[in-house]
Each structure stands twice: as structure tokens, then as C-alpha cells.
Amino acid sequence: MKFQPIVPMIWTEQLSETIDFYCTILGFTCSEKNEEWGWASLFKDDCQLMFAKPNQHTSFEKPTFTGTFYINVDDVETLWKLLKEKVNVVYQLETFDWGMKEFAICDNNGYRIQFGQDITT
């Protein structure tokens, strides 16, 4: 049995604004959107995310997540230069002892996204 890449389903009350943030600021493409379901699927390269408005089966007060969404990239410095003036920065580009160069931002919902590059290779 082989596991496939994980695709988070992220809840938001602001579906259109979230799609705009990820597509305009981060360069994702909206591959599918269903207004009736309140759902969309976005991708950039090998990274896929789904967004959905909470439904009657979902207890939802505000966007919360107890971790971060970590996206590995192959040129974190260029991405940092492109994003740093356009987003809410959590922490600036840093090189860590464990061999990763990374930074973190918040999206329009307040979810934390980290971008990192392995610099040990």
C-alpha cells in the first residue's frame, strides 16, 4: 500500500479572497471551483491545496490550525524577495542549524505557511 502526497482541506469563510491570495500572491492556479459546494482546488507545481467553506457538518468559528503548512521549495531566497513586501511575515528568511533556510508568512485567513529549502545538498 502506497500513501500519496497529503492534500490539506483548509476551511475559510472567505473562499474568493483566499483563492485570490494564493493565486495572485503565491502563484497558485485554481484548477477547480464549485460555488454550490463552496470548494476549490489549487495547485502550484507538485503542491496542491483545497479550500472549503464550512458546512453543516463542521463546527467553525474562525480559522484555526495548531501547526503550520510547510512547503519545500528549490529557491527560497528568490521566493522571499518576491513575497516579503506583499504578505504578513511571521519570521524573516533564516538559516537553521538543521540545514534548512526558511521563512514564514500568514495567509489572508491567518494560517501560517513556512517555505523552506534544504541547503545540505
Side-chain angles (χ1 to χ4, degrees):
M1 173 183 7
K2 179 182 177 187
F3 280 36
Q4 299 296 320
I6 191 168
V7 179
M9 174 72 75
I10 304 166
W11 296 340
T12 180
E13 290 283 1
Q14 303 174 341
L15 186 61
S16 294
E17 295 88 344
T18 300
I19 293 168
D20 186 56
F21 177 88
Y22 280 82
C23 292
T24 303
I25 303 295
L26 300 181
F28 278 73
T29 298
C30 184
S31 61
E32 195 172 350
K33 180 179 179 184
N34 187 306
E35 291 287 346
E36 183 181 335
W37 299 343
W39 171 87
S41 178
L42 283 64
F43 73 93
K44 181 174 174 76
D45 303 316
D46 294 332
C47 183
Q48 182 182 358
L49 302 170
M50 291 190 289
F51 295 93
K53 289 187 173 185
N55 59 36
Q56 68 273 15
H57 305 290
T58 306
S59 174
F60 184 83
E61 292 179 32
K62 64 178 183 169
T64 58
F65 183 70
T66 59
T68 64
F69 297 104
Y70 196 97
I71 300 174
N72 287 294
V73 297
D74 63 359
D75 189 355
V76 74
E77 288 188 34
T78 297
L79 184 60
W80 168 248
K81 289 174 187 173
L82 290 171
L83 295 180
K84 66 182 180 180
E85 302 298 326
K86 299 177 184 177
V87 296
N88 178 11
V89 175
V90 175
Y91 66 86
Q92 297 186 11
L93 186 65
E94 282 185 62
T95 301
F96 292 94
D97 293 340
W98 51 88
M100 293 297 290
K101 185 178 275 193
E102 60 188 53
F103 67 93
I105 66 169
C106 283
D107 76 358
N108 64 301
N109 297 288
Y111 293 116
R112 187 175 291 186
I113 308 167
Q114 292 173 266
F115 296 95
Q117 179 179 359
D118 183 349
I119 56 170
T120 61
T121 57

